[in-house]
Amino acid sequence: MKKNNSIQEWIPFEKILENGIIKLKDNSYIKIIKIYPINFNLKSELEKEAILNSYKIFLKTCDFNFQILIQSKKEDLSKHISNINNQKINENKNILEYSNKYIEFIKKLNQEKKSSSKNFYIILKYKNNDKELEEIEELATEDLNDKYFKIKDCLSRCGNIILDINNKKESKNILFSFLNSRKYLDN
C-alpha cells in the first residue's frame, strides 16, 4: 500500500518568525523583499543610462546570492466592468454606446492578451553552517536585514520602491500566493 505524504512533509518551511523571516527545515532562513519596479521603457535615454549604471553598482555591491522571483496573476476585470455598467444607467445615448464599446474592448483584450499583473520579489537566504549555535535566529535576522538594506539602497537609486516583508501575516500571504499560483493563473 502506497503511503501518502502530508503537505507538511513536502513544504520546506519550518516556521515563520514574527518579523516575517522564514525558517526552513534545513536550519537556514529566508527573507522576502517586494519590489515595485519602474517602467524603464518610459524613461529618456539619459535616465535609462543612469538607471543602468545604478543597476551595475547594485550587482557589484551585492556580494551574496539572491533569487529574483516574478509572479504573474491573471487580472479579474469583473469589478471594473460592473462599475462601468453601474455608472451608465442614467447617461445619454452616446455615452452608453461608448461605454458598451469600451466594455467589449476590455473583454476582447483580456481574452486575447490574457491581461495579468506581475509581482516582483527578491529572496535572500542565510545558511546556518554551525548547527550548535544558539543565537542563530538573531544572527540570521541581522544578516538578512543587512542584505535587505544593501539591496534597498542600490535599487532605490534606480528608482524602484523596495518593501520589506517584515511581519508574519505578510509572509504567510506571499507564501500562500506562491503555493496557490495555479488558482491565480486559471481564473
Side-chain angles (χ1 to χ4, degrees), residues 91-108:
E91 299 295 334
N92 69 36
K93 185 179 174 184
N94 287 338
I95 293 178
L96 286 173
E97 184 180 332
Y98 284 119
S99 296
N100 289 332
K101 284 183 180 181
Y102 178 65
I103 290 171
E104 288 176 35
F105 171 75
I106 291 173
K107 287 179 178 178
K108 183 179 177 187

Side-chain angles (χ1 to χ4, degrees), residues 9-53:
E9 293 173 31
W10 174 76
I11 293 178
F13 313 119
E14 185 174 311
K15 69 178 178 177
I16 301 174
L17 307 178
E18 291 301 319
N19 61 9
I21 292 176
I22 302 161
K23 182 178 182 188
L24 304 179
K25 289 179 181 175
D26 68 356
N27 277 335
S28 58
Y29 294 79
I30 61 172
K31 179 175 186 67
I32 302 170
I33 301 170
K34 186 168 185 175
I35 311 297
Y36 294 96
I38 58 166
N39 190 335
F40 188 76
N41 293 328
L42 296 179
K43 301 297 181 184
S44 70
E45 290 304 314
L46 187 59
E47 289 172 316
K48 286 180 180 180
E49 188 175 325
I51 291 166
L52 288 175
N53 286 332

Side-chain angles (χ1 to χ4, degrees), residues 34-185:
K34 186 168 185 175
I35 311 297
Y36 294 96
I38 58 166
N39 190 335
F40 188 76
N41 293 328
L42 296 179
K43 301 297 181 184
S44 70
E45 290 304 314
L46 187 59
E47 289 172 316
K48 286 180 180 180
E49 188 175 325
I51 291 166
L52 288 175
N53 286 332
S54 295
Y55 193 70
K56 287 177 195 174
I57 292 169
F58 161 68
L59 292 175
K60 288 180 182 178
T61 303
C62 294
D63 56 350
F64 48 84
N65 293 332
F66 59 89
Q67 180 180 1
I68 298 173
L69 180 71
I70 302 170
Q71 180 187 43
S72 295
K73 290 194 309 187
K74 186 176 177 192
E75 286 298 317
D76 179 13
L77 299 176
S78 58
K79 275 187 178 179
H80 182 62
I81 291 170
S82 176
N83 285 339
I84 295 169
N85 282 327
N86 290 338
Q87 290 178 1
K88 69 180 187 179
I89 293 172
N90 295 323
E91 299 295 334
N92 69 36
K93 185 179 174 184
N94 287 338
I95 293 178
L96 286 173
E97 184 180 332
Y98 284 119
S99 296
N100 289 332
K101 284 183 180 181
Y102 178 65
I103 290 171
E104 288 176 35
F105 171 75
I106 291 173
K107 287 179 178 178
K108 183 179 177 187
L109 186 66
N110 194 27
Q111 287 173 346
E112 291 174 1
K113 303 273 184 174
K114 304 287 184 193
S115 63
S116 65
S117 63
K118 294 189 182 334
N119 291 319
F120 297 85
Y121 300 96
I122 292 181
I123 312 295
L124 302 172
K125 188 172 186 178
Y126 175 82
K127 185 81 171 146
N128 176 18
N129 295 326
D130 188 0
K131 303 234 187 273
E132 302 299 318
L133 201 53
E134 291 181 11
E135 302 108 10
I136 191 66
E137 282 184 15
E138 188 177 311
L139 285 173
T141 299
E142 185 178 316
D143 179 74
L144 292 169
N145 284 331
D146 287 346
K147 291 174 182 176
Y148 159 73
F149 286 117
K150 208 178 248 193
I151 287 174
K152 181 179 181 178
D153 182 49
C154 292
L155 287 181
S156 294
R157 291 181 194 164
C158 298
N160 301 295
I161 298 171
I162 291 62
L163 179 65
D164 182 11
I165 306 302
N166 59 7
N167 68 58
K168 194 173 191 174
K169 183 179 178 186
E170 286 180 276
S171 290
K172 277 184 179 180
N173 289 340
I174 291 171
L175 291 175
F176 180 81
S177 72
F178 289 161
L179 296 171
N180 289 295
S181 61
R182 175 57 54 209
K183 175 184 171 194
Y184 293 106
L185 292 173

